Amino acid sequence: MSIWRRYSLQNARRVLENPSLLQGELRRLRKDALNANAYVSRLLNDDERVNVMAEDWDNLVILDACRYDMFAARANIGDRVTSKLSPGSESWEFMQESFVGTEFHDTVYVTSNPHAYKLPEGTFHAVVNLLDDHWDDTFRTVMPETMVEQTLAAFEQYPDKRIITHFMQPHFPFIGEKGRKLGHAGIEMQLDADEHSGEPHPWNALLYGETDNESEIIEAYVENLNVTLPHVEQLVDELSGKSVITADHGNLIGERTYPIPIRTFGHPGGLHKRELIEVPWAEIDSKERREITAEPPKASEEIDDDVIEDRLRNLGYAE
């Protein structure tokens, strides 16, 4: 008898003896199926991925978890709007493939994404991390208007550097009118879900059938994008040089993943399904191109570990 079969039989016996364990066992099986699908997707998907740092831009605006189709249907920004394939299906995978192992001392990274703290010291000329001083305690994220303000401040401070600005939206938490009604209740659901699985809410709750709010959650996700786009448009209007708007990854909203045909939500790491890794690439041309120079990096400001853990939890990341 194989180890897998013995393990399965042991679990079946445990559930029969204690039916309250059934939900947890189903969650485990779905998670195992998702991991298997992710493995197969990496084997089969060998299309060329974008190297964002090798592309032509002075300003790179990254929207977190933004699907290409949703952006293309709603955004009226850019001289050319196409799509590219991200090297990752979640933020840290994107950062590892795009930034880690190379030095970009001609670039300043303004970010509201908590995974940025993992980047090796000296990756960029400077990192402006907004998770501490510019965190909004009400919405439990860094708001898009704050991103605009702080990106323009960084541009003023570093006029001869490329600028990357990493918005947290349209990623959860939800900041729109509909999303706010869902979101604060959703935060409580998130903490409850984390106790059971360590997976992010709300997409995890949909994946495991723990909420019937599918349409409301998707509407809130789209609303996050709608709320953020005017701020992005304002930002690129005020920045000199060529700008590109893209995303670190997309987001699944119920598409089936294979070979085990399960509906999937969110952005599981390592799952290279096209709808998840296809991201917008909107180019905004400029007659004025900045003269970019590289200089030795500045030391990054340290953020307390407790702050990082709190931000990760509130943004729905597993820890």
Side-chain angles (χ1 to χ4, degrees), residues 2-101:
S2 69
I3 294 176
W4 171 252
R5 187 178 176 190
R6 287 201 306 271
Y7 180 58
S8 299
L9 289 174
Q10 288 171 357
N11 286 348
R13 292 192 191 101
R14 289 173 59 243
V15 170
L16 288 173
E17 293 169 359
N18 186 356
S20 66
L21 298 176
L22 177 60
Q23 185 178 31
E25 184 64 14
L26 291 174
R27 290 173 64 88
R28 185 192 67 77
L29 290 172
R30 288 185 67 92
K31 190 170 184 178
D32 287 347
L34 187 59
N35 288 337
N37 288 353
Y39 176 76
V40 172
S41 76
R42 294 194 300 274
L43 292 178
L44 298 179
N45 192 333
D46 59 356
D47 293 334
E48 184 176 356
R49 310 302 175 82
V50 64
N51 178 353
V52 295
M53 300 307 295
E55 296 286 337
D56 179 34
W57 49 264
D58 299 307
N59 315 297
L60 183 69
V61 180
I62 299 174
L63 299 175
D64 206 291
C66 181
R67 290 174 62 109
Y68 165 67
D69 56 355
M70 289 184 178
F71 180 92
R74 290 163 180 82
N76 187 25
I77 312 173
D79 298 291
R80 291 171 302 284
V81 179
T82 58
S83 68
K84 292 185 183 291
L85 296 184
S86 171
S89 62
E90 53 89 26
S91 296
W92 178 236
E93 187 180 10
F94 167 82
M95 292 182 194
Q96 283 182 299
E97 297 297 326
S98 301
F99 306 145
V100 174

Side-chain angles (χ1 to χ4, degrees), residues 130-143 146 173 184 187 307 310-311 314:
L130 306 180
L131 286 171
D132 196 351
D133 294 340
H134 299 281
W135 179 260
D136 189 300
D137 288 323
T138 299
F139 290 94
R140 305 188 188 190
T141 189
V142 178
M143 298 295 281
T146 302
H184 292 302
I187 288 170
V307 172
D310 176 76
R311 303 323 187 224
N314 279 289

